[in-house]
Amino acid sequence: MLSNQIINWYLQNKRELPWRETKDPYQIWISEIMLQQTRVATAIDYFNRFIEQFPTISDLAKAKEQEVLKLWQGLGYYSRARNLHATAKIIQSQYNGIFPDSYEEILKLKGIGSYTAAAIASFAFNLPHAAVDGNVYRVLSRIYGIDKAIDSTEGKKYFQSIASETMGNARPEIFNQAIIEFGALQCIPRNPKCDICPLFANCFAYNNAQVDQLPIKSKQIKTKNRYFYYLFLSCKSQFLIEKREKKDIWENLFQYPLIEYNKPIPTDELLQTLEWKELFGNKNMLIHSVSGNVLHKLSHQNLHTTFIHIEMDIKKLKKNTDYKIINYSEIPNYPFPKLIEDHLNMIVKNNT
Ligand code: SF4
């Protein structure tokens, strides 16, 4: 039986991971949210630090959002952290701080979709729900030769039913872990290890030379180019930051004052723009340095970034704006996107 073969493979090949050592739905939930869009190796340290600082739902519910975002700094997709925090508060107030123990109730929680609900329901409570993530789509599409698009409603429904059938009477907790791990380590997106695969004899894709064609996606999401000009405004060991408020990437994280364009613009033209003139007027300033293009890639956005280091009396600027003046020693108190964090690390290193 396919489920037994996958489980046997898992028992011999699985990685030791901290979230596999627990049945605590809270910890499993944190790990699942972290693992969305993040590699396992990266998530381990973040997970351990997070659980150390917020060992229970109640600790997370009581935390300030800024603390949660700071712990999340560098992981990206910050709405995940905001949703976790909001959901912890809901569990605390509406469920007496006890994580719900049915798939349907788990699915009602903010930021939890069908995959995560099934993962928590099966890993923590051994409930029979097949957890279908990108790994599972890949494994099932290749083994059975399924050519339905994995990002279509019809395809999702179909894969969910095939995953449930494949699970059969196997223990949900082990089967789900096993097939996800199989996709993560064995049946990987490029160059899967078919030559040492225990399933190759019955694998449709392998036997029909379609490994590279499966799974199928219907839409290709376009990558958007954005042009960021970050103004690092400093005076001795102080500099300016602002909170990103808009519904955009990095909401509620901190950054330097930003001028954004939809096309690249030379620095001398930037100095003539309305944004620049509104910000600086006739104030005295010294452009200390202008960086080259720093390309920061997000999943569907390329941020072409230039850092402009300006020395000036920043207190004068603050009178007209919402900017916050902070000292280098206060950097650990604020969550920054990785792009800013890397720049700050360089600045601090050059000043110590
Ligand atoms: S034979 Fe290759 S494509 Fe088929 S399940 Fe194994 S690793 Fe995946």
Side-chain angles (χ1 to χ4, degrees):
M1 241 168 95
L2 186 60
S3 60
N4 286 342
Q5 285 179 296
I6 294 176
I7 289 170
N8 286 341
W9 174 92
Y10 174 69
L11 295 175
Q12 287 164 29
N13 295 283
K14 68 174 178 167
R15 292 167 289 184
E16 303 293 329
L17 300 171
W19 46 85
R20 287 197 179 138
E21 310 290 315
T22 179
K23 286 278 188 187
D24 178 354
Y26 166 68
Q27 294 198 26
I28 291 166
W29 170 49
I30 301 296
S31 72
E32 285 300 329
I33 301 297
M34 281 187 175
L35 287 168
Q36 293 167 7
Q37 318 283 351
T38 303
R39 288 169 48 244
V40 165
T42 309
I44 292 174
D45 280 350
Y46 278 91
F47 174 82
N48 288 334
R49 280 198 297 269
F50 201 93
I51 296 299
E52 197 182 320
Q53 183 146 345
F54 307 123
T56 64
I57 292 174
S58 151
D59 295 313
L60 178 56
K62 279 188 248 155
K64 291 202 176 86
E65 185 181 89
Q66 198 159 314
E67 283 177 83
V68 180
L69 288 172
K70 186 69 194 173
L71 266 184
W72 207 266
Q73 181 173 298
L75 268 182
Y77 299 91
Y78 294 90
S79 58
R80 295 181 294 170
R82 286 190 295 273
N83 283 340
L84 266 183
H85 189 219
T87 301
K89 288 180 180 174
I90 290 169
I91 297 174
Q92 189 66 18
S93 61
Q94 294 177 19
Y95 295 84
N96 289 329
I98 297 166
F99 208 96
D101 60 1
S102 77
Y103 172 82
E104 291 71 21
E105 285 299 314
I106 297 170
L107 192 57
K108 284 183 195 165
L109 299 171
K110 189 175 179 182
I112 295 190
S114 55
Y115 161 74
T116 308
I120 299 169
S122 61
F123 300 160
F125 305 113
N126 203 29
L127 295 171
H129 291 275
V132 183
D133 73 347
N135 292 306
V136 179
Y137 280 122
R138 188 167 56 254
V139 172
L140 294 178
S141 68
R142 286 174 174 170
I143 290 176
Y144 294 117
I146 303 168
D147 60 3
K148 292 188 192 305
I150 59 171
D151 53 351
S152 67
T153 310
E154 187 206 352
K156 283 181 183 158
K157 226 168 142 186
Y158 187 74
F159 275 97
Q160 188 68 48
S161 71
I162 293 292
S164 301
E165 264 176 46
T166 307
M167 179 162 73
N169 293 326
R171 273 177 58 197
E173 168 213 2
I174 304 241
F175 172 79
N176 281 339
Q177 293 276 19
I179 192 166
I180 291 168
E181 190 80 330
F182 187 82
L185 299 181
Q186 173 77 28
C187 192
I188 50 181
R190 287 201 197 122
N191 303 322
K193 302 167 187 170
C194 303
D195 48 343
I196 52 162
C197 178
L199 308 181
F200 79 92
N202 295 315
C203 173
F204 176 93
Y206 179 75
N207 291 299
N208 292 278
Q210 287 192 25
V211 171
D212 293 341
Q213 278 107 64
L214 293 170
I216 286 176
K217 270 193 181 175
S218 60
K219 306 172 210 141
Q220 290 292 351
I221 301 171
K222 272 199 181 158
T223 300
K224 183 177 167 190
N225 286 304
R226 300 173 73 175
Y227 299 87
F228 281 14
Y229 296 87
Y230 270 125
L231 310 177
F232 180 71
L233 300 164
S234 74
C235 184
K236 297 190 182 127
S237 61
Q238 294 191 311
F239 62 102
L240 278 192
I241 57 171
E242 64 176 2
K243 197 178 196 178
R244 284 184 68 92
E245 304 275 6
K246 285 187 293 181
K247 291 269 173 218
D248 191 1
I249 54 168
W250 305 333
E251 189 183 333
N252 292 351
L253 271 75
F254 288 79
Q255 63 178 7
Y256 311 139
L258 171 69
I259 298 179
E260 180 177 353
Y261 273 87
N262 57 4
K263 60 178 174 42
I265 174 168
T267 314
D268 51 345
E269 278 181 39
L270 190 74
L271 266 53
Q272 303 306 320
T273 59
L274 196 63
E275 289 94 330
W276 185 279
K277 287 180 179 163
E278 273 179 3
L279 191 57
F280 297 111
N282 294 324
K283 294 182 183 74
N284 281 335
M285 64 159 109
L286 172 72
I287 298 185
H288 178 278
S289 60
V290 179
S291 77
N293 179 35
V294 178
L295 176 62
H296 188 72
K297 289 186 172 206
L298 301 176
S299 57
H300 304 117
Q301 297 189 24
N302 286 336
L303 308 182
H304 303 269
T305 310
T306 304
F307 291 95
I308 303 171
H309 185 169
I310 297 164
E311 287 175 353
M312 66 181 300
D313 185 350
I314 46 180
K315 288 204 175 84
K316 280 192 182 154
L317 202 57
K318 192 177 180 280
K319 277 181 193 155
N320 308 325
T321 68
D322 297 330
Y323 297 142
K324 201 182 257 294
I325 295 179
I326 69 163
N327 213 294
Y328 291 151
S329 60
E330 294 173 85
I331 292 172
N333 302 338
Y334 295 89
F336 297 103
K338 181 87 172 56
L339 178 64
I340 301 286
E341 183 192 355
D342 289 348
H343 183 259
L344 270 176
N345 285 342
M346 191 187 70
I347 293 280
V348 172
K349 200 172 148 202
N350 290 343
N351 281 283
T352 49

mmCIF file of all heavy atoms in Angstrom, residues 35-70:
data_model
loop_
_atom_site.group_PDB
_atom_site.id
_atom_site.type_symbol
_atom_site.label_atom_id
_atom_site.label_comp_id
_atom_site.label_asym_id
_atom_site.label_seq_id
_atom_site.Cartn_x
_atom_site.Cartn_y
_atom_site.Cartn_z
ATOM 1 N N LEU A 35 6.754 27.798 9.010
ATOM 2 C CA LEU A 35 7.238 27.007 7.867
ATOM 3 C C LEU A 35 6.598 27.418 6.542
ATOM 4 O O LEU A 35 7.079 27.012 5.485
ATOM 5 C CB LEU A 35 6.988 25.512 8.129
ATOM 6 C CG LEU A 35 7.924 24.903 9.180
ATOM 7 C CD1 LEU A 35 7.436 23.530 9.605
ATOM 8 C CD2 LEU A 35 9.347 24.810 8.650
ATOM 9 N N GLN A 36 5.543 28.233 6.602
ATOM 10 C CA GLN A 36 4.978 28.733 5.346
ATOM 11 C C GLN A 36 5.999 29.694 4.757
ATOM 12 O O GLN A 36 6.370 30.674 5.401
ATOM 13 C CB GLN A 36 3.665 29.482 5.596
ATOM 14 C CG GLN A 36 2.547 28.584 6.084
ATOM 15 C CD GLN A 36 1.365 29.395 6.622
ATOM 16 O OE1 GLN A 36 1.312 30.608 6.518
ATOM 17 N NE2 GLN A 36 0.421 28.693 7.226
ATOM 18 N N GLN A 37 6.499 29.418 3.606
ATOM 19 C CA GLN A 37 7.457 30.274 2.887
ATOM 20 C C GLN A 37 8.827 30.359 3.553
ATOM 21 O O GLN A 37 9.592 31.272 3.256
ATOM 22 C CB GLN A 37 6.920 31.727 2.737
ATOM 23 C CG GLN A 37 5.474 31.844 2.386
ATOM 24 C CD GLN A 37 5.212 31.556 0.934
ATOM 25 O OE1 GLN A 37 6.139 31.426 0.153
ATOM 26 N NE2 GLN A 37 3.963 31.424 0.565
ATOM 27 N N THR A 38 9.132 29.488 4.486
ATOM 28 C CA THR A 38 10.444 29.544 5.150
ATOM 29 C C THR A 38 11.069 28.162 5.168
ATOM 30 O O THR A 38 10.373 27.172 5.421
ATOM 31 C CB THR A 38 10.279 30.056 6.605
ATOM 32 O OG1 THR A 38 9.651 31.326 6.570
ATOM 33 C CG2 THR A 38 11.608 30.179 7.315
ATOM 34 N N ARG A 39 12.371 28.085 4.942
ATOM 35 C CA ARG A 39 13.035 26.786 4.945
ATOM 36 C C ARG A 39 13.128 26.238 6.362
ATOM 37 O O ARG A 39 13.256 26.998 7.327
ATOM 38 C CB ARG A 39 14.443 26.924 4.351
ATOM 39 C CG ARG A 39 14.415 27.148 2.844
ATOM 40 C CD ARG A 39 15.748 27.559 2.266
ATOM 41 N NE ARG A 39 16.831 26.722 2.716
ATOM 42 C CZ ARG A 39 17.853 27.172 3.463
ATOM 43 N NH1 ARG A 39 17.909 28.430 3.817
ATOM 44 N NH2 ARG A 39 18.802 26.357 3.829
ATOM 45 N N VAL A 40 13.096 24.914 6.459
ATOM 46 C CA VAL A 40 13.123 24.265 7.780
ATOM 47 C C VAL A 40 14.350 24.704 8.572
ATOM 48 O O VAL A 40 14.253 25.057 9.754
ATOM 49 C CB VAL A 40 13.095 22.730 7.603
ATOM 50 C CG1 VAL A 40 13.484 22.015 8.880
ATOM 51 C CG2 VAL A 40 11.714 22.283 7.150
ATOM 52 N N ALA A 41 15.518 24.713 7.917
ATOM 53 C CA ALA A 41 16.764 25.038 8.634
ATOM 54 C C ALA A 41 16.682 26.443 9.239
ATOM 55 O O ALA A 41 17.172 26.675 10.348
ATOM 56 C CB ALA A 41 17.943 24.948 7.678
ATOM 57 N N THR A 42 16.050 27.376 8.530
ATOM 58 C CA THR A 42 15.921 28.749 9.037
ATOM 59 C C THR A 42 14.906 28.797 10.174
ATOM 60 O O THR A 42 15.093 29.500 11.167
ATOM 61 C CB THR A 42 15.441 29.693 7.900
ATOM 62 O OG1 THR A 42 16.289 29.497 6.790
ATOM 63 C CG2 THR A 42 15.421 31.138 8.321
ATOM 64 N N ALA A 43 13.826 28.037 10.022
ATOM 65 C CA ALA A 43 12.725 28.122 10.984
ATOM 66 C C ALA A 43 13.119 27.588 12.373
ATOM 67 O O ALA A 43 12.572 28.047 13.380
ATOM 68 C CB ALA A 43 11.508 27.354 10.463
ATOM 69 N N ILE A 44 14.075 26.658 12.437
ATOM 70 C CA ILE A 44 14.380 26.015 13.729
ATOM 71 C C ILE A 44 14.776 27.044 14.799
ATOM 72 O O ILE A 44 14.207 27.067 15.885
ATOM 73 C CB ILE A 44 15.496 24.942 13.567
ATOM 74 C CG1 ILE A 44 14.954 23.779 12.734
ATOM 75 C CG2 ILE A 44 15.977 24.436 14.924
ATOM 76 C CD1 ILE A 44 15.989 22.725 12.376
ATOM 77 N N ASP A 45 15.738 27.911 14.467
ATOM 78 C CA ASP A 45 16.192 28.891 15.465
ATOM 79 C C ASP A 45 15.079 29.862 15.834
ATOM 80 O O ASP A 45 14.895 30.219 16.999
ATOM 81 C CB ASP A 45 17.364 29.712 14.916
ATOM 82 C CG ASP A 45 18.645 28.927 15.021
ATOM 83 O OD1 ASP A 45 18.625 27.875 15.683
ATOM 84 O OD2 ASP A 45 19.648 29.349 14.424
ATOM 85 N N TYR A 46 14.323 30.303 14.828
ATOM 86 C CA TYR A 46 13.209 31.223 15.099
ATOM 87 C C TYR A 46 12.190 30.553 16.015
ATOM 88 O O TYR A 46 11.679 31.161 16.947
ATOM 89 C CB TYR A 46 12.527 31.647 13.787
ATOM 90 C CG TYR A 46 13.231 32.772 13.074
ATOM 91 C CD1 TYR A 46 14.205 32.511 12.123
ATOM 92 C CD2 TYR A 46 12.926 34.096 13.354
ATOM 93 C CE1 TYR A 46 14.859 33.554 11.467
ATOM 94 C CE2 TYR A 46 13.560 35.143 12.707
ATOM 95 C CZ TYR A 46 14.535 34.864 11.755
ATOM 96 O OH TYR A 46 15.166 35.900 11.120
ATOM 97 N N PHE A 47 11.896 29.287 15.740
ATOM 98 C CA PHE A 47 10.919 28.550 16.542
ATOM 99 C C PHE A 47 11.393 28.459 17.991
ATOM 100 O O PHE A 47 10.650 28.759 18.931
ATOM 101 C CB PHE A 47 10.723 27.145 15.945
ATOM 102 C CG PHE A 47 9.843 26.251 16.769
ATOM 103 C CD1 PHE A 47 8.460 26.331 16.671
ATOM 104 C CD2 PHE A 47 10.387 25.330 17.661
ATOM 105 C CE1 PHE A 47 7.640 25.515 17.442
ATOM 106 C CE2 PHE A 47 9.577 24.509 18.433
ATOM 107 C CZ PHE A 47 8.207 24.603 18.315
ATOM 108 N N ASN A 48 12.648 28.056 18.184
ATOM 109 C CA ASN A 48 13.154 27.889 19.557
ATOM 110 C C ASN A 48 13.124 29.204 20.323
ATOM 111 O O ASN A 48 12.728 29.242 21.486
ATOM 112 C CB ASN A 48 14.575 27.304 19.535
ATOM 113 C CG ASN A 48 14.550 25.837 19.132
ATOM 114 O OD1 ASN A 48 13.554 25.141 19.335
ATOM 115 N ND2 ASN A 48 15.635 25.361 18.544
ATOM 116 N N ARG A 49 13.518 30.297 19.638
ATOM 117 C CA ARG A 49 13.522 31.605 20.322
ATOM 118 C C ARG A 49 12.102 32.040 20.652
ATOM 119 O O ARG A 49 11.820 32.564 21.731
ATOM 120 C CB ARG A 49 14.170 32.669 19.417
ATOM 121 C CG ARG A 49 15.683 32.641 19.428
ATOM 122 C CD ARG A 49 16.237 33.957 18.883
ATOM 123 N NE ARG A 49 15.862 34.169 17.503
ATOM 124 C CZ ARG A 49 16.586 33.777 16.461
ATOM 125 N NH1 ARG A 49 17.727 33.157 16.649
ATOM 126 N NH2 ARG A 49 16.190 34.016 15.231
ATOM 127 N N PHE A 50 11.175 31.788 19.721
ATOM 128 C CA PHE A 50 9.785 32.204 19.902
ATOM 129 C C PHE A 50 9.159 31.474 21.094
ATOM 130 O O PHE A 50 8.520 32.075 21.948
ATOM 131 C CB PHE A 50 8.994 31.894 18.617
ATOM 132 C CG PHE A 50 7.728 32.688 18.459
ATOM 133 C CD1 PHE A 50 7.725 33.877 17.749
ATOM 134 C CD2 PHE A 50 6.534 32.251 19.018
ATOM 135 C CE1 PHE A 50 6.551 34.619 17.599
ATOM 136 C CE2 PHE A 50 5.364 32.985 18.877
ATOM 137 C CZ PHE A 50 5.371 34.178 18.163
ATOM 138 N N ILE A 51 9.380 30.162 21.138
ATOM 139 C CA ILE A 51 8.780 29.367 22.217
ATOM 140 C C ILE A 51 9.421 29.706 23.556
ATOM 141 O O ILE A 51 8.762 29.702 24.595
ATOM 142 C CB ILE A 51 8.893 27.844 21.903
ATOM 143 C CG1 ILE A 51 8.078 27.507 20.645
ATOM 144 C CG2 ILE A 51 8.450 26.986 23.084
ATOM 145 C CD1 ILE A 51 6.584 27.792 20.735
ATOM 146 N N GLU A 52 10.697 30.051 23.521
ATOM 147 C CA GLU A 52 11.357 30.432 24.771
ATOM 148 C C GLU A 52 10.757 31.736 25.304
ATOM 149 O O GLU A 52 10.479 31.870 26.487
ATOM 150 C CB GLU A 52 12.850 30.610 24.501
ATOM 151 C CG GLU A 52 13.666 30.587 25.779
ATOM 152 C CD GLU A 52 15.134 30.825 25.489
ATOM 153 O OE1 GLU A 52 15.633 30.295 24.479
ATOM 154 O OE2 GLU A 52 15.750 31.561 26.270
ATOM 155 N N GLN A 53 10.514 32.677 24.394
ATOM 156 C CA GLN A 53 9.970 33.968 24.854
ATOM 157 C C GLN A 53 8.465 33.892 25.132
ATOM 158 O O GLN A 53 7.979 34.515 26.064
ATOM 159 C CB GLN A 53 10.250 35.043 23.809
ATOM 160 C CG GLN A 53 9.778 36.406 24.260
ATOM 161 C CD GLN A 53 10.687 37.513 23.757
ATOM 162 O OE1 GLN A 53 11.816 37.277 23.309
ATOM 163 N NE2 GLN A 53 10.204 38.737 23.830
ATOM 164 N N PHE A 54 7.740 33.115 24.334
ATOM 165 C CA PHE A 54 6.286 32.990 24.530
ATOM 166 C C PHE A 54 5.949 31.504 24.650
ATOM 167 O O PHE A 54 5.494 30.875 23.682
ATOM 168 C CB PHE A 54 5.522 33.591 23.342
ATOM 169 C CG PHE A 54 5.898 35.004 23.000
ATOM 170 C CD1 PHE A 54 6.344 35.340 21.726
ATOM 171 C CD2 PHE A 54 5.802 36.016 23.955
ATOM 172 C CE1 PHE A 54 6.704 36.640 21.406
ATOM 173 C CE2 PHE A 54 6.154 37.325 23.636
ATOM 174 C CZ PHE A 54 6.612 37.633 22.360
ATOM 175 N N PRO A 55 6.158 30.917 25.834
ATOM 176 C CA PRO A 55 5.954 29.462 25.960
ATOM 177 C C PRO A 55 4.491 29.031 25.855
ATOM 178 O O PRO A 55 4.224 27.854 25.563
ATOM 179 C CB PRO A 55 6.510 29.120 27.344
ATOM 180 C CG PRO A 55 6.980 30.386 27.952
ATOM 181 C CD PRO A 55 6.714 31.529 27.037
ATOM 182 N N THR A 56 3.554 29.933 26.085
ATOM 183 C CA THR A 56 2.141 29.541 26.031
ATOM 184 C C THR A 56 1.340 30.555 25.215
ATOM 185 O O THR A 56 1.805 31.670 24.958
ATOM 186 C CB THR A 56 1.516 29.509 27.450
ATOM 187 O OG1 THR A 56 1.537 30.855 27.956
ATOM 188 C CG2 THR A 56 2.291 28.594 28.393
ATOM 189 N N ILE A 57 0.116 30.174 24.906
ATOM 190 C CA ILE A 57 -0.781 31.089 24.185
ATOM 191 C C ILE A 57 -0.969 32.370 24.986
ATOM 192 O O ILE A 57 -0.968 33.471 24.451
ATOM 193 C CB ILE A 57 -2.149 30.417 23.949
ATOM 194 C CG1 ILE A 57 -2.002 29.274 22.961
ATOM 195 C CG2 ILE A 57 -3.199 31.426 23.452
ATOM 196 C CD1 ILE A 57 -3.247 28.459 22.761
ATOM 197 N N SER A 58 -1.107 32.198 26.290
ATOM 198 C CA SER A 58 -1.348 33.348 27.136
ATOM 199 C C SER A 58 -0.166 34.327 27.083
ATOM 200 O O SER A 58 -0.353 35.546 27.034
ATOM 201 C CB SER A 58 -1.614 32.828 28.551
ATOM 202 O OG SER A 58 -1.224 33.732 29.485
ATOM 203 N N ASP A 59 1.075 33.807 27.054
ATOM 204 C CA ASP A 59 2.249 34.693 26.956
ATOM 205 C C ASP A 59 2.231 35.468 25.643
ATOM 206 O O ASP A 59 2.538 36.654 25.609
ATOM 207 C CB ASP A 59 3.549 33.869 27.031
ATOM 208 C CG ASP A 59 3.703 33.196 28.377
ATOM 209 O OD1 ASP A 59 3.506 33.875 29.398
ATOM 210 O OD2 ASP A 59 3.989 31.993 28.399
ATOM 211 N N LEU A 60 1.857 34.776 24.569
ATOM 212 C CA LEU A 60 1.817 35.444 23.262
ATOM 213 C C LEU A 60 0.691 36.483 23.231
ATOM 214 O O LEU A 60 0.864 37.595 22.727
ATOM 215 C CB LEU A 60 1.617 34.401 22.145
ATOM 216 C CG LEU A 60 1.516 34.931 20.723
ATOM 217 C CD1 LEU A 60 2.739 35.774 20.347
ATOM 218 C CD2 LEU A 60 1.374 33.780 19.718
ATOM 219 N N ALA A 61 -0.450 36.127 23.807
ATOM 220 C CA ALA A 61 -1.596 37.047 23.809
ATOM 221 C C ALA A 61 -1.264 38.333 24.562
ATOM 222 O O ALA A 61 -1.707 39.413 24.194
ATOM 223 C CB ALA A 61 -2.809 36.358 24.424
ATOM 224 N N LYS A 62 -0.444 38.203 25.609
ATOM 225 C CA LYS A 62 -0.125 39.374 26.435
ATOM 226 C C LYS A 62 0.982 40.248 25.828
ATOM 227 O O LYS A 62 1.195 41.373 26.257
ATOM 228 C CB LYS A 62 0.343 38.905 27.823
ATOM 229 C CG LYS A 62 -0.823 38.561 28.756
ATOM 230 C CD LYS A 62 -0.314 38.307 30.150
ATOM 231 C CE LYS A 62 -0.478 36.860 30.512
ATOM 232 N NZ LYS A 62 0.363 36.281 31.488
ATOM 233 N N ALA A 63 1.694 39.722 24.844
ATOM 234 C CA ALA A 63 2.855 40.445 24.297
ATOM 235 C C ALA A 63 2.429 41.676 23.514
ATOM 236 O O ALA A 63 1.286 41.784 23.065
ATOM 237 C CB ALA A 63 3.647 39.509 23.383
ATOM 238 N N LYS A 64 3.367 42.617 23.348
ATOM 239 C CA LYS A 64 3.123 43.771 22.469
ATOM 240 C C LYS A 64 3.421 43.329 21.034
ATOM 241 O O LYS A 64 4.325 42.522 20.805
ATOM 242 C CB LYS A 64 4.081 44.910 22.834
ATOM 243 C CG LYS A 64 3.793 45.544 24.161
ATOM 244 C CD LYS A 64 4.396 46.956 24.164
ATOM 245 C CE LYS A 64 4.068 47.684 25.439
ATOM 246 N NZ LYS A 64 5.024 47.405 26.518
ATOM 247 N N GLU A 65 2.678 43.907 20.071
ATOM 248 C CA GLU A 65 2.890 43.504 18.676
ATOM 249 C C GLU A 65 4.336 43.766 18.233
ATOM 250 O O GLU A 65 4.932 42.968 17.510
ATOM 251 C CB GLU A 65 1.936 44.257 17.736
ATOM 252 C CG GLU A 65 2.083 43.744 16.307
ATOM 253 C CD GLU A 65 1.185 44.459 15.316
ATOM 254 O OE1 GLU A 65 1.609 45.491 14.763
ATOM 255 O OE2 GLU A 65 0.060 43.982 15.096
ATOM 256 N N GLN A 66 4.904 44.858 18.735
ATOM 257 C CA GLN A 66 6.286 45.182 18.352
ATOM 258 C C GLN A 66 7.264 44.078 18.779
ATOM 259 O O GLN A 66 8.220 43.778 18.072
ATOM 260 C CB GLN A 66 6.664 46.515 18.989
ATOM 261 C CG GLN A 66 7.855 47.151 18.331
ATOM 262 C CD GLN A 66 7.911 48.640 18.605
ATOM 263 O OE1 GLN A 66 6.923 49.352 18.492
ATOM 264 N NE2 GLN A 66 9.076 49.102 19.001
ATOM 265 N N GLU A 67 7.013 43.478 19.960
ATOM 266 C CA GLU A 67 7.891 42.379 20.440
ATOM 267 C C GLU A 67 7.774 41.174 19.514
ATOM 268 O O GLU A 67 8.748 40.499 19.204
ATOM 269 C CB GLU A 67 7.425 41.896 21.818
ATOM 270 C CG GLU A 67 7.756 42.742 23.001
ATOM 271 C CD GLU A 67 7.129 42.103 24.247
ATOM 272 O OE1 GLU A 67 7.732 41.183 24.806
ATOM 273 O OE2 GLU A 67 6.013 42.519 24.635
ATOM 274 N N VAL A 68 6.522 40.888 19.093
ATOM 275 C CA VAL A 68 6.287 39.725 18.232
ATOM 276 C C VAL A 68 6.971 39.943 16.881
ATOM 277 O O VAL A 68 7.665 39.061 16.363
ATOM 278 C CB VAL A 68 4.771 39.472 18.051
ATOM 279 C CG1 VAL A 68 4.529 38.258 17.166
ATOM 280 C CG2 VAL A 68 4.089 39.300 19.402
ATOM 281 N N LEU A 69 6.810 41.154 16.347
ATOM 282 C CA LEU A 69 7.431 41.450 15.046
ATOM 283 C C LEU A 69 8.949 41.416 15.138
ATOM 284 O O LEU A 69 9.634 41.000 14.211
ATOM 285 C CB LEU A 69 6.963 42.821 14.537
ATOM 286 C CG LEU A 69 5.513 42.884 14.052
ATOM 287 C CD1 LEU A 69 5.106 44.326 13.751
ATOM 288 C CD2 LEU A 69 5.307 42.029 12.802
ATOM 289 N N LYS A 70 9.482 41.850 16.283
ATOM 290 C CA LYS A 70 10.942 41.837 16.448
ATOM 291 C C LYS A 70 11.466 40.395 16.400
ATOM 292 O O LYS A 70 12.489 40.113 15.789
ATOM 293 C CB LYS A 70 11.325 42.510 17.780
ATOM 294 C CG LYS A 70 12.812 42.688 17.977
ATOM 295 C CD LYS A 70 13.376 43.724 17.020
ATOM 296 C CE LYS A 70 14.891 43.683 16.941
ATOM 297 N NZ LYS A 70 15.426 44.555 15.903
#
